[in-house]
Amino acid sequence: MLRHVLGKTFRFLGYTVQYGCIAHCAFEYLGGIVVCSGPSMEPTIQNSDIVFSENLSRHFYCIRKGDIVIVKSPNDPKSNICKRVIGLEGDKVCTSNPSDFLKSHSYVPKGHVWLEGDNLRNSTDSRCYGPVPYGLIRGRICFKIWPLTDFGFLRASPNGHRFLDD
């Protein structure tokens, strides 16, 4: 009797470990569902919107300007932030706020990206903490899941003029 119970227990633990490893790999390398909070990405992503984030792009260095990414916060490593990629390494970016009379520019250093929220007046982003190391990127948002009225791929940046091509 004891042998039977121990056998079932160890089988259950074995399956739990196996499926736990599969789930970990799926969420770490393939992607997952993310609930976004805060006003920094409005109007593209509203507070409490649910999105799907894929993680393969970061592993294959396929992140491009205009992508919306989930990143470990440079200010608080325990939290993630959602921002749009404005510049990649070597790109010239506008580092000033939209309301500044004199515009300042800088180049994104090697191994970094420049991130900004779509809601420029209410976003803590690279204009505050500078370029973000590429290694902090967790995934790229593919499409919005909730609310159902907005289900689908995300719209282009309302701040397209901030992308510099020179």
Side-chain angles (χ1 to χ4, degrees):
M1 176 71 177
L2 180 62
R3 185 179 205 168
H4 178 69
V5 170
L6 282 175
K8 279 191 165 197
T9 302
F10 283 121
R11 271 194 300 280
F12 174 75
L13 287 173
Y15 287 130
T16 303
V17 169
Q18 284 177 336
Y19 291 121
C21 290
I22 291 169
H24 168 74
C25 289
F27 290 127
E28 180 66 23
Y29 296 103
L30 297 179
I33 295 172
V34 179
V35 178
C36 297
S37 63
S40 71
M41 284 303 293
E42 291 176 356
T44 309
I45 298 174
Q46 305 289 326
N47 192 32
S48 301
D49 280 359
I50 300 173
V51 297
F52 178 76
S53 169
E54 62 85 14
N55 299 349
L56 290 174
S57 293
R58 74 178 170 115
H59 294 293
F60 294 114
Y61 295 92
C62 296
I63 301 295
R64 298 181 306 233
K65 281 197 270 188
D67 287 346
I68 299 175
V69 293
I70 302 293
V71 180
K72 285 274 184 209
S73 171
N75 293 336
D76 179 14
K78 293 180 182 176
S79 66
N80 291 321
I81 58 174
C82 175
K83 303 292 179 197
R84 190 177 298 271
V85 177
I86 300 298
L88 301 169
E89 65 180 44
D91 287 344
K92 183 179 179 182
V93 292
C94 180
T95 58
S96 55
N97 289 313
S99 58
D100 293 348
F101 181 71
L102 294 174
K103 303 296 180 200
S104 58
H105 296 86
S106 181
Y107 287 93
V108 180
K110 184 173 178 65
H112 290 70
V113 294
W114 188 267
L115 304 174
E116 291 182 4
D118 285 355
N119 185 355
L120 292 174
R121 300 199 189 292
N122 195 2
S123 178
T124 303
D125 49 36
S126 288
R127 293 171 295 151
C128 299
Y129 44 71
V132 176
Y134 193 91
L136 293 182
I137 296 175
R138 306 295 303 145
R140 180 178 64 91
I141 294 180
C142 295
F143 56 88
K144 194 182 294 189
I145 297 172
W146 189 263
L148 287 177
T149 55
D150 291 338
F151 182 86
F153 294 101
L154 298 170
R155 65 179 87 139
S157 173
N159 307 310
H161 61 281
R162 303 247 333 148
F163 295 91
L164 299 177
D165 291 327
D166 46 338

